[in-house]
């Protein structure tokens, strides 16, 4: 009723929507088909961009970008407007940032670093953040003073409050109160009077229904599975405020080259490792052996001391020799003096006696002196002659003795001569034996290296660490067992024990070599003989040679291999052997 | 090169400069204002651009208008390096030998009476700080102990080891009273929050876990690092947790949300040690390439330490006087002036008799509560105490 009255009160709507014709300026601006007669009155074409002037805007709606004409939205037109496409929800998913400027109109280049972070976040992104603070002109007075107690207390209070809620939540989560299945509400009772249903009469009986909550297993694992929510896109990393790392030079690389460890015990992959690498790996070459300088000094000092001592000893020996010589000389001198003195004394004494006959004496002495000089000369010649004579005599004697010996030897027997020769070569020990000095070696065995005898088990068989024993310990056991025990296949003949025993006893296993109780096969048919083997003259032709010759002579031709008899005989022989 | 930097926008300009930096070397280009900018490669690892201005200040003033408008990023104060402060050199005072393995971690009692060390022999030993005598040996871990901390508020000690276990010891009963279960691999570092009863542990599962001490509940798993978290410290103010990792980044964490506040990517090698200054709001982080200082609420880069330690730095500590000690894997112990970043002493530990020379290595170091004694835990199974030389004066040990 009220709505009806309202619609009556209001004027008719200007645009009903159905039969509305769009204004000309909002109609499509495509090419218009104009008739030939219409050309005249529409020659002037006004190309217009931008909004229509005021007054002509009734029903005009700005749609495209040029409708705005570099301007903003029209607040009098009540439609959603997007001048310069601002605010339009685009479907394109470009994550390019819009350029932002600060209060002074400078572009904020750190917008990309701030994206996704809160405004409170401190991001050092400018070059001035690299400059030390005390060199920065715009830093002003830098106050690094400690905050006051009140500020600290306020901060503490705020933080404590914030944390206490967190702690409370964490603690509450630690001890869950509502474990399912523990609380069971009391059953509810409902009185129920069923209606008549489908023509069926219930009779109006009232029933009381007890409603109990279904019991739940408190230990039942949750039916859902906790799933990790994938992480959102990370916030942009902080700007890097240091220079890039230095390029690694070849020298640095060389410095960091660490040779692979090579074990002397393990080589699982079985690489062939050069010997120099193996040597390098044990680090032996890394430390250079430096011998203390004092070793050299010490040996030098030793050598010089030795030389010095030798020199001294030599000097002393020389001195002693000289002294001894001197002493000897002195002694000789002394002796000579004594002799002189004695001679003089004697001569003095003789002079006293021969004072009377001095003249004769002097004569005789003169003569004797002359003769003594003479005799001295002759004596020298005599001496050489006598020595020669002696030599000759000696040689003669030696030769004679030699002859005698040869004569004796020639008369000696061979044994004696050998003995003699042995004695000459110092090989005769008969005297030593007689004296009991030479004894024969007590045991003959100890003379020999036992390893030389049994060479198959000696050193030359090869030393094998895997097998310390060259033959099994119970190698003989098998043989022993098989010797003294009846074997299985002998048993299963079904013979009696006695028979087996007889068989074992009867069978001779060990033949005496060369005296076989059984001869070769076929030989046992031969009769025993006494005396040498007697051959018989061959009468028939065992090999069929005559036959063959006669065949050849008669010229009977034979083709192929007719060897059935020989083959048969061969096979027979083989069978014979095997039997 | 022929482009005029004036015409470039600022942001694009740093791209341009940084691309120049990346191409490396010493690029030099001159502008028409007579200004020379030179990029130098400092040491072997970090590129720090140092602009050398012309000495004439008038010229700078003339250019300032253009310059500040276009490239304020490059405007720098020429050299405002603070003068180094004199610190007396440190000497070995005492060598304590008692552990049967590498001594890998240390923590000091808040009362400064004793300290505890954890070792690769799976024991924690408690030593008297004054006499250096052993007071106690605690066993319970199955692997080497890599993190230790003593609570200032309770009579608790916390230990973390390579056996994935984090334990809470009651020091009144000398027993394990809590165990924090959850790490998937070895735990490498441990830190206590100064004001709240929570515990931070970082491990080889590249996660820093935050535990409620009392209830043993894991509050957060601060994940985001790409490799082992090998250093962690906690602060009272935001960011309350800072972690360093083998992925060569440092992350500052918002403890309320359990989210990263910032990631510092200035290092090129793994950040194995960090030291937070007791008074200032900044910390130093050490990696094999450099020791860097960062300001704290925002993590802005303060400066590099001026020399290169040239070894893996396992541990760092700084005291109130501003002496930063960094212990290297080769047994070198360098002392730095915190403010200026100069190293004033480069010591080398001496291995105890019977050890190999290669067993010189410092795994952990710690100042006592007063900052007057430094204790190093070493690979030769000893604990060494270092003291300052009292007789040293700036005259006897001049700053070079």
């Amino acid at each position: 009723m009220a709505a009806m009255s309202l619609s009556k009160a209001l004027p008719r709507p200007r645009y009903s929507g159905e039969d509305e014709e769009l204004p000309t300026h909002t109609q499509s601006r495509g090419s218009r088909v104009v008739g030939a007669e219409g050309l005249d009155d529409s020659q002037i074409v006004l190309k217009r961009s931008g909004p229509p002037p005021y007054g002509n805007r009734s029903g005009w709606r700005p749609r495209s970008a040029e409708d705005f004409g570099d301007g903003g939205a029209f607040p009098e037109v009540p439609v959603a407007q997007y001048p310069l496409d601002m605010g339009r929800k685009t479907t394109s998913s470009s994550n390019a940032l819009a350029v932002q400027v600060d209060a002074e109109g400078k572009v904020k280049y750190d917008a990309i670093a701030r994206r996704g972070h809160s405004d409170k976040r401190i991001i050092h992104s400018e070059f001035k953040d690299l400059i030390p603070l005390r060199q920065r002109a715009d830093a002003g007075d830098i106050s690094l003073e400690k905050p006051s107690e009140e500020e600290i207390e306020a901060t503490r209070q705020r933080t404590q409050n914030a944390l206490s809620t967190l702690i409370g939540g964490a603690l509450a989560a630690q001890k869950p109160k509502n474990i399912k299945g523990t609380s069971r509400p009391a059953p509810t009772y409902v009185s129920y009077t069923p209606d008549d249903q489908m023509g069926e009469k219930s009779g109006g009986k009232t029933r009381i229904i007890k409603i109990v909550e279904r019991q739940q297993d408190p230990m039942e694992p949750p039916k859902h599975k906790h799933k990790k929510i994938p992480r959102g896109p990370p916030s942009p990393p902080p700007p890097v405020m240091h220079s890039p790392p230095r390029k690694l030079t070849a020298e640095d690389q060389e410095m960091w080259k660490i040779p692979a460890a090579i074990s002397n015990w393990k080589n699982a992959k079985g690489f062939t490792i050069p010997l120099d690498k193996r040597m390098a790996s044990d680090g032996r070459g890394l430390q250079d052996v430096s011998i203390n300088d004092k070793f050299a000094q010490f040996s030098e000092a030793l050598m010089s001391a030795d030389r010095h001592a030798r020199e001294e000893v030599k000097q002393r020996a020389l001195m002693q020799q000289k002294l001894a010589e001197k002493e000897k000389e002195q002694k000789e001198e002394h002796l000579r003096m004594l002799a002189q003195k004695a001679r003089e004394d004697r001569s003095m004494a003789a002079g006293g006696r021969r004072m009377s006959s001095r003249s004769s004496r002097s004569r005789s002495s003169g003569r004797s002196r002359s003769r003594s000089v003479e005799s001295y000369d002759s004596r020298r010649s005599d001496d050489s002659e006598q020595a020669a004579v002696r030599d000759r005599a000696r040689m003669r004697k030696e030769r004679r003795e030699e002859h005698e010996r040869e004569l004796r030897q020639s008369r000696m027997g061979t044994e004696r001569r050998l003995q003699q020769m042995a004695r000459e070569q110092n090989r005769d020990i008969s005297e030593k034996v007689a004296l009991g000095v030479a004894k024969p070696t007590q045991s003959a065995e100890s003379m020999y290296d036992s390893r030389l005898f049994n060479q198959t088990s000696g050193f030359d068989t090869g030393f094998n660490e895997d097998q310390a024993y060259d033959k099994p310990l119970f190698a003989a056991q098998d043989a022993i067992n098989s010797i003294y025990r009846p074997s299985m296949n002998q048993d299963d003949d079904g013979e009696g024990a006695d028979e087996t025993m007889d068989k074992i006893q009867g069978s001779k296993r060990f033949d005496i070599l060369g005296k076989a109780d059984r001869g070769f096969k076929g030989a046992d048919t031969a009769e025993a003989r006494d005396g040498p083997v007697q051959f018989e003259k061959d009468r028939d032709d065992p090999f069929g040679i005559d036959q063959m010759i006669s065949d050849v002579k008669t010229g009977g031709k034979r083709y192929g291999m007719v060897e059935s008899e020989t083959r048969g005989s061969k096979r027979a022989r083989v069978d014979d052997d095997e039997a | 090169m022929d482009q005029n930097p004036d015409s470039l926008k600022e942001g694009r300009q740093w791209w341009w400069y940084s691309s120049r930096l990346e191409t490396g070397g010493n690029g030099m280009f001159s502008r028409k204002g007579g200004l020379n900018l030179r990029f130098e490669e400092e040491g072997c690892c970090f590129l720090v651009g140092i602009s050398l201005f012309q000495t004439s200040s008038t010229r700078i003033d003339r250019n300032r208008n253009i310059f500040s408008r276009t490239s304020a990023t490059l405007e720098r104060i020429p050299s405002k390096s603070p003068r180094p402060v004199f610190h007396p050199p440190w000497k070995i005072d005492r060598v304590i030998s008692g552990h049967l393995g590498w001594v890998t971690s240390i923590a000091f009692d808040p009362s400064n009476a004793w300290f505890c060390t954890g070792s690769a022999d799976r024991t924690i030993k408690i030593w008297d700080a004054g006499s250096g005598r052993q007071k106690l040996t605690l066993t319970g871990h199955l692997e080497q102990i890599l993190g230790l901390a003593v609570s200032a508020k309770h009579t608790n000690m916390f230990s973390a080891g390579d056996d994935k276990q984090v334990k809470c010891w009651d020091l009144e009963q000398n027993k394990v009273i809590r165990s924090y279960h959850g790490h998937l691999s070895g735990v490498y570092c441990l830190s206590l929050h100064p004001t709240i009863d929570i515990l931070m542990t970082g491990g080889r599962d590249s996660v820093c876990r935050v535990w409620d001490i009392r209830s043993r509940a894991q509050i957060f798993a601060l994940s985001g690092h790409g490799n082992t978290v090998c250093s962690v410290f906690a602060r009272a103010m935001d960011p309350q947790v800072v972690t360093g990792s083998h992925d060569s980044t440092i992350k500052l964490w918002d403890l309320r949300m359990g989210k990263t506040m910032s990631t510092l990517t200035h290092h090129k090698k793994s950040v194995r040690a960090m030291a937070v200054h007791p008074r200032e709001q900044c910390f130093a982080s050490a990696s094999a390439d450099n020791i860097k200082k960062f300001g704290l609420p925002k993590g802005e880069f303060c400066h590099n330490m001026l020399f290169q330690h040239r070894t893996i730095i396992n541990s760092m500590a700084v005291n109130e006087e501003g002496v930063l000690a960094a212990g290297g894997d080769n047994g070198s112990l360098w002392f730095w002036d915190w403010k200026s970043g100069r190293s004033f002493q480069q010591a080398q530990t001496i291995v105890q008799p019977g050890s190999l020379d290669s067993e010189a290595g410092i795994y952990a170091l710690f100042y006592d509560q007063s900052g007057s004694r430094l204790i190093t835990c070493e690979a030769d199974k000893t604990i060494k105490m270092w003291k300052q030389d009292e007789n040293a004066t700036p005259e006897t040990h001049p700053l070079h």
Side-chain angles (χ1 to χ4, degrees), chain A residues 106 125 133 144 146 239 242, chain B residues 10 14 265 267 279 281 302:
Chain A
K106 291 175 191 157
S125 59
L133 200 59
L144 295 171
K146 272 235 147 180
H242 60 246
Chain B
E10 178 195 339
W14 89 253
T265 53
H267 280 291
R279 284 199 315 262
Q281 291 238 62
C302 287

Side-chain angles (χ1 to χ4, degrees), chain A residues 435-449:
Chain A
L435 289 167
V437 176
K439 274 185 196 164
T441 319
Q442 286 300 321
S443 65
E445 282 87 13
S446 63
M447 293 282 286
Y448 303 104
D449 191 349

Side-chain angles (χ1 to χ4, degrees), chain A residues 97-102 106-109 111:
Chain A
L97 277 181
V99 177
Q100 296 177 25
V101 288
D102 61 0
K106 291 175 191 157
V107 177
K108 286 203 275 188
Y109 285 101

Side-chain angles (χ1 to χ4, degrees), chain B residues 194-264:
Chain B
T195 52
I196 311 170
D197 279 348
I198 53 171
L199 172 71
M200 269 67 75
T201 56
R204 214 172 75 91
D205 47 1
S206 57
V207 161
C208 175
R209 289 175 201 271
V210 182
W211 310 89
D212 181 38
I213 287 178
R214 206 175 54 78
S215 67
R216 296 173 308 186
Q218 176 184 314
I219 304 170
F220 286 121
L222 305 175
S223 61
H225 277 297
N227 210 333
T228 305
V229 178
C230 50
S231 52
V232 65
F233 69 85
R235 304 169 64 239
M237 292 296 290
D238 281 326
Q240 302 190 34
V241 186
V242 178
T243 55
S245 164
H246 279 329
D247 65 359
S248 71
T249 61
I250 299 164
K251 279 182 189 282
L252 318 180
W253 299 89
D254 178 9
L255 191 56
R256 276 190 289 281
M257 308 293 289
K259 280 184 177 174
T260 313
M261 278 176 72
S262 181
T263 306
L264 309 178

Side-chain angles (χ1 to χ4, degrees), chain B residues 347-361:
Chain B
Q348 176 78 25
T349 61
I350 304 155
V351 293
Q352 69 165 340
S355 313
L356 305 175
D357 280 341
S358 58
E359 281 177 327

Side-chain angles (χ1 to χ4, degrees), chain A residues 83-94:
Chain A
L84 295 172
D85 279 341
M86 281 190 301
R88 193 191 288 282
K89 292 250 173 27
T90 52
T91 51
S92 68
S93 62
S94 165

